[in-house]
Amino acid sequence: SVTAKVLHDAGTPAWTSAHSPEASHRAHPQPRHVLVAIDPDKNARETLDVAVAVAKESGATLDIVTAVSQGKVFGPAMADAELEKLLIDGTGQVLAKLQVEAGSEAGTVIEIGSPPIVVRRAALSKRADLVVVGRSDKHGLLGRLHDDSYAIIREAPCPVLSV
């Protein structure tokens, strides 16, 4: 798609808005609520820094959303509620440290599940006006996009800033 090509080639942040209403229907041209989707293992600090700056510049509130997948860590055979709690708690500790480093006081949403679905659900429940996602500097099948970033862009109910 055109979006994938632009995001693959762009060395600067790119704003996509496939699921936005027409500009004439928008009461507020600046985001009021920003949601940053991060994977604590992949360029999380850089992505969080951009989201904090965007939220501050526009006077928006900010929440961090992270999807935790047991299957990535232990495989589907070991799924249980206690393991889910451990994964969520551990991820919460990592995000707390990341926020201290970034000087952020954002709220956090940590859920078990597929990142595109978790981010979409959080964006809808938080009534997000903008989702910020990170890209890598690697070149591969999806180029500069993280594994789940393109799916998040497709599923997001609002514009996405890919950094």
Side-chain angles (χ1 to χ4, degrees):
S1 82
V2 173
T3 302
K5 177 66 174 155
V6 168
L7 292 171
H8 175 273
D9 293 346
T12 59
W15 180 290
T16 58
S17 57
H19 305 289
S20 299
E22 290 186 27
S24 62
H25 295 117
R26 185 116 170 109
H28 300 279
Q30 291 187 328
R32 293 165 292 179
H33 194 100
V34 176
L35 188 68
V36 57
I38 60 174
D39 178 344
D41 297 334
K42 299 180 182 175
N43 300 333
R45 175 63 193 277
E46 294 87 357
T47 305
L48 179 58
D49 286 344
V50 169
V52 167
V54 168
K56 185 176 181 181
E57 178 71 25
S58 64
T61 57
L62 177 67
D63 279 304
I64 298 170
V65 61
T66 300
V68 180
S69 173
Q70 292 183 23
K72 283 171 95 173
V73 180
F74 297 102
M78 295 185 67
D80 71 10
E82 189 171 324
L83 179 59
E84 286 181 0
K85 184 178 178 344
L86 287 171
L87 289 170
I88 289 172
D89 290 348
T91 302
Q93 291 173 8
V94 171
L95 291 180
K97 180 180 178 201
L98 184 64
Q99 288 208 70
V100 167
E101 293 171 1
S104 166
E105 296 180 8
T108 56
V109 176
I110 305 167
E111 291 184 15
I112 302 291
S114 162
I117 293 169
V118 169
V119 172
R120 178 178 175 74
R121 191 168 39 237
L124 289 169
S125 74
K126 297 286 186 177
R127 299 179 54 92
D129 299 301
L130 177 66
V131 173
V132 178
V133 297
R135 288 182 283 164
S136 70
D137 53 6
K138 296 187 291 186
H139 294 282
L141 180 62
L142 290 178
R144 300 171 63 87
L145 287 178
H146 288 168
D147 298 341
D148 296 307
S149 295
Y150 189 62
I152 289 170
I153 291 167
R154 281 194 323 255
E155 297 295 325
C158 60
V160 177
L161 177 61
S162 176
V163 296

